Amino acid sequence: MLKQIKSGNKSMIIAFVLCFIVIGASELKADRPIKMGAQSTDIYLDELKGERVGVVVNHTSYVDQVHLVDFLVSKNIKVQKIFAPEHGFRGNHSDGAKVSNSVDPKSGVSIVSLYGKHKKPTDQMMQDIDVCVFDIQDVGCRFYTYISTLFYVMESCAKNDVRLIVLDRPNPNGDYVDGPVLDLKYRSFVGIAPIPIVHGCTIGELAKMYQGEKWISNASKLQMKVVPCQGYDHRMKYVPPIAPSPNLPNYKSIRLYPSLCFFEATTASIGRGTEIPFQVIGYPDSTMGDFTFEPQSIPHVSKYPKHEGEVCYGESFPNDEDYPTFTFKYLYNWSKKFQCTNDFVDRPKWMNLLVGSDLVVNALQKKIPLSQWKEKYSKDLTRYKQVRKKYLLYPE
C-alpha cells in the first residue's frame, strides 16, 4: 500500500514550498558545471553601458549569487524598468494570479506587469528603452507561459526598434521532444507558436526559432543576440538550482509537469495546495486509490486549490531517479475511472488549449485506444524536429 499523506498542517506546507522558491532543494544540481548566459558578462555587459535597459526577469534570474537586476545596478547600468511575467518578479504569485505594477524596494526600479492588463509590452512601455534583456528559467513545455512572454517581448522589441539580448539557460526537459504540435486554431497564451508540448529547446534556441521561422511579426527588424550557456548539451540531466515557479518545487515535478498539466482541465487534482504539487493525482472518492492528500489554500502558492479541504484518493509517483518523459497514459488511465468523459474533463475548451488541438477531447469521447493517439500527431512532430535542428545551439 502506498504511503498516505494528509496535508492539513498549513504552516508546514508553506515553509516547505517557500524553501524551494527561495533557495531551492539540496538535490538541485547539474551533472557538471554549467556557465549560464548571464554569467558571460564579457559578452553583453559593454553593450548595456550608457543605455536605457529594460529587463524581463523573475526570481530565477541570478548571476552567481546575485540577482541580475542588483548585479546590473552595481555595474552602473541604467535599469529603466523591470518587466514581470506570470508569478511576478520575485516568483511569489500563484498560478494565474494577476501581477500588478509596483516598485522593487531594493533597487528602486519600476516593475511593469506582463501578466495583468497587458501580456505584451505596449509601445508606451518601450519608449524609454534602448535595449531589453531577457533572463528567465524555462522548463521546456509549450504551456509554460514564460516562452509566450518571450514571444511577445520579441515582437514589441522588433516594432519599437529596441535591441534584445537573451541570456540562455538549460532546459530541464531538453533531452527529448514529444507531444502534439500546436494547431494555430487553438493559439493562446498557453500555446503561442506551432511547437509541440515538449519542445526540446532552451530559451535562446526558441528565440532563434521564433525569429528564423518568422512566427513573430516584424521578425526581420529584430536586432537580437543570444548569449549561450557553456558546458551544456541536450543529453545531460539538468536540475535548476532555484525552483522555476511555486508549484514546480523539485526535479520530479518538473519532469512530470508535461504529462500532468492536462489534469488542470479535469475534475482530478494534481496536488496544488500540498507540499507535493505535480507529483500526485487524486479525487475525493475512496475508490480512486490508496494514496491520500488534502489540498489547502497556501498564500502566494495555491489560492483556493481544487478540492480544498477534501481528502483526495489516488496515486503518487515514486521518489526515485527514473522520472518519466511525456505520456498521455496517466490522463487516459484516469479517464477510465469515471463513468463518462464529461465527469472527468469538465473544462474541454481549456483541455484543447493545453493540448493545442482537440485530440484528447475527441479521443476520449470516441473511445480511441491510447495506442492510436500518437498517430494523430506523429507527422507534425517529425516536421517540427527537422525545423528545430536549424536552431540548436548545443549538441543533442
Side-chain angles (χ1 to χ4, degrees), residues 21 57-62 67 88-91 146 242-246:
I21 294 172
V57 292
N58 68 0
H59 64 290
T60 67
S61 310
Y62 269 74
H67 193 279
F89 170 48
R90 296 295 181 185
Y146 297 147
I242 299 174
S245 55

Side-chain angles (χ1 to χ4, degrees), residues 31-104:
D31 282 346
R32 61 175 179 263
I34 298 173
K35 186 176 182 180
M36 304 299 163
Q39 294 174 289
S40 294
T41 56
D42 56 313
I43 297 178
Y44 68 91
L45 200 58
D46 284 347
E47 295 188 32
L48 304 181
K49 292 179 179 178
E51 303 282 31
R52 297 170 299 175
V53 178
V55 293
V56 188
V57 292
N58 68 0
H59 64 290
T60 67
S61 310
Y62 269 74
V63 182
D64 297 320
Q65 302 300 312
V66 181
H67 193 279
L68 181 64
V69 170
D70 301 325
F71 172 78
L72 294 178
V73 170
S74 74
K75 298 298 181 181
N76 297 315
I77 302 299
K78 183 176 178 55
V79 180
Q80 193 77 7
K81 63 186 62 170
I82 298 165
F83 292 103
E86 184 178 10
H87 304 299
F89 170 48
R90 296 295 181 185
N92 58 357
H93 289 67
S94 59
D95 177 74
K98 181 179 178 180
V99 178
S100 301
N101 294 343
S102 59
V103 175
D104 176 35

Side-chain angles (χ1 to χ4, degrees), residues 15-287:
F16 182 93
V17 177
L18 291 182
C19 173
F20 280 106
I21 294 172
V22 176
I23 62 173
S26 61
E27 72 168 357
L28 301 188
K29 59 185 178 180
D31 282 346
R32 61 175 179 263
I34 298 173
K35 186 176 182 180
M36 304 299 163
Q39 294 174 289
S40 294
T41 56
D42 56 313
I43 297 178
Y44 68 91
L45 200 58
D46 284 347
E47 295 188 32
L48 304 181
K49 292 179 179 178
E51 303 282 31
R52 297 170 299 175
V53 178
V55 293
V56 188
V57 292
N58 68 0
H59 64 290
T60 67
S61 310
Y62 269 74
V63 182
D64 297 320
Q65 302 300 312
V66 181
H67 193 279
L68 181 64
V69 170
D70 301 325
F71 172 78
L72 294 178
V73 170
S74 74
K75 298 298 181 181
N76 297 315
I77 302 299
K78 183 176 178 55
V79 180
Q80 193 77 7
K81 63 186 62 170
I82 298 165
F83 292 103
E86 184 178 10
H87 304 299
F89 170 48
R90 296 295 181 185
N92 58 357
H93 289 67
S94 59
D95 177 74
K98 181 179 178 180
V99 178
S100 301
N101 294 343
S102 59
V103 175
D104 176 35
K106 185 172 183 179
S107 65
V109 178
S110 297
I111 301 174
V112 178
S113 171
L114 294 183
Y115 200 76
K117 183 178 179 181
H118 301 286
K119 289 185 170 62
K120 177 191 285 191
T122 64
D123 296 348
Q124 184 178 6
M125 292 176 188
M126 302 296 276
Q127 280 183 352
D128 57 350
I129 301 295
D130 300 310
V131 58
C132 197
V133 178
F134 191 102
D135 180 29
I136 293 177
Q137 177 64 58
D138 182 43
V139 299
C141 297
R142 187 183 64 224
F143 36 64
Y144 204 59
T145 62
Y146 297 147
I147 64 174
S148 295
T149 298
L150 170 66
F151 188 99
Y152 282 146
V153 167
M154 290 176 68
E155 287 197 326
S156 187
C157 285
K159 182 181 179 183
N160 291 278
D161 296 320
V162 173
R163 304 194 313 280
L164 176 63
I165 298 176
V166 178
L167 305 179
D168 212 7
R169 291 180 179 270
N171 177 357
N173 281 306
D175 55 310
Y176 73 107
V177 177
D178 207 346
V181 174
L182 175 72
D183 180 339
L184 290 178
K185 291 190 299 185
Y186 297 96
R187 191 172 186 262
S188 71
F189 199 59
V190 293
I192 201 73
I195 60 178
I197 288 166
V198 183
H199 53 72
C201 294
T202 65
I203 282 280
E205 291 169 334
L206 267 185
K208 288 167 62 66
M209 190 185 301
Y210 287 168
Q211 183 178 29
E213 295 301 304
K214 296 182 170 55
W215 290 338
I216 63 166
S217 56
N218 299 306
S220 61
K221 291 183 59 180
L222 179 63
Q223 300 179 59
M224 181 178 70
K225 171 185 282 190
V226 174
V227 181
C229 304
Q230 297 179 29
Y232 170 70
D233 68 62
H234 284 284
R235 297 162 295 185
M236 69 185 295
K237 174 183 176 181
Y238 175 71
V239 188
I242 299 174
S245 55
N247 283 284
L248 294 180
N250 54 27
Y251 184 64
K252 180 165 73 169
S253 63
I254 291 171
R255 292 293 284 189
L256 286 165
Y257 176 69
S259 303
L260 298 190
C261 192
F262 307 113
F263 282 85
E264 303 281 58
T266 74
T267 54
S269 167
I270 41 73
R272 288 188 186 274
T274 75
E275 73 274 23
I276 44 176
F278 287 98
Q279 298 159 77
V280 296
I281 309 171
Y283 183 79
D285 182 334
S286 60
T287 66

